[in-house]
């Protein structure tokens, strides 16, 4: 039986990315991302709840986060959960659960608290000021001519 450890977040940065470098020179960026959810409060009204998520990016994606992300910017993160153990200043064992990002996509235009859109996986830059309307991973068929003769299709 297989299992799946997959997280998809769409939220806003609570502060600018914290960037550091490993001894080997790899860029590491830590993000704090807020997601909001509206729930009934039981009295006929609504209550907004905010959940905070810790995200870590490595390499080129961390470099892109450093260059383009800032507080308030909307970002889509795809990754997996990791729990790590560490010791605090008093020597107590602590655990932290964070999302290790495999893919990052900037959402919104240039006016959305930051630079132009970019992805961690593709060319690095989306051309244009707004997020593409197609879902993540959708094929772009705009390069193929429409209409024409379909007689060479084998079905």
């Amino acid at each position: 039986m297989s299992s799946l450890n997959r997280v998809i977040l769409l939220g806003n940065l609570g502060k600018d990315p914290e960037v550091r470098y490993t001894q080997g020179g790899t860029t590491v960026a830590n993000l704090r991302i807020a997601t909001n959810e509206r729930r009934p409060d039981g009295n006929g009204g609504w209550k907004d709840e905010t959940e905070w998520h810790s995200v870590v990016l490595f390499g080129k994606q961390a470099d892109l986060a450093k260059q383009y992300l800032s507080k308030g910017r909307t970002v889509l993160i795809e990754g997996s959960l990791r729990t790590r153990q560490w010791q605090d200043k008093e020597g107590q064992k602590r655990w932290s659960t964070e999302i290790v990002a495999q893919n990052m996509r900037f959402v919104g235009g240039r006016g959305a608290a930051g630079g132009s859109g970019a992805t961690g996986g593709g060319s690095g830059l989306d051309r244009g000021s707004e997020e593409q309307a197609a879902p993540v991973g959708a094929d772009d068929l705009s390069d193929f001519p429409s209409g024409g003769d379909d007689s060479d299709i084998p079905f």
Side-chain angles (χ1 to χ4, degrees), residues 25-44:
T26 302
T27 310
V28 180
N30 291 88
L31 310 177
R32 292 288 289 162
I33 297 178
T35 55
N36 298 308
E37 190 170 352
R38 181 169 268 208
R39 298 176 184 252
D41 66 4
N43 298 323

Side-chain angles (χ1 to χ4, degrees), residues 41-58:
D41 66 4
N43 298 323
W46 294 92
K47 179 180 178 183
D48 290 326
E49 295 180 0
T50 301
E51 185 75 28
W52 288 94
H53 310 274
S54 297
V55 177
V56 62
L57 301 148
F58 296 95

Side-chain angles (χ1 to χ4, degrees), residues 35-130:
T35 55
N36 298 308
E37 190 170 352
R38 181 169 268 208
R39 298 176 184 252
D41 66 4
N43 298 323
W46 294 92
K47 179 180 178 183
D48 290 326
E49 295 180 0
T50 301
E51 185 75 28
W52 288 94
H53 310 274
S54 297
V55 177
V56 62
L57 301 148
F58 296 95
K60 183 165 177 82
Q61 290 188 70
D63 291 330
L64 290 169
K66 177 184 176 185
Q67 184 176 0
Y68 292 105
L69 290 180
S70 59
K71 180 179 178 177
R73 181 76 192 256
T74 304
V75 64
L76 177 80
I77 297 289
E78 295 179 82
S80 57
L81 287 175
R82 295 286 187 270
T83 302
R84 59 185 173 90
Q85 180 181 339
W86 50 280
Q87 284 189 348
D88 65 13
K89 293 177 182 177
E90 290 81 39
Q92 299 292 318
K93 285 185 182 179
R94 303 284 183 184
W95 288 266
S96 296
T97 301
E98 57 197 7
I99 297 150
V100 177
Q102 281 99 33
N103 190 24
M104 171 183 59
R105 187 169 184 103
F106 301 167
V107 180
R110 294 177 191 261
S116 126
T119 63
S123 64
L125 295 175
D126 285 336
R127 304 292 181 211
S129 63
E130 302 248 348

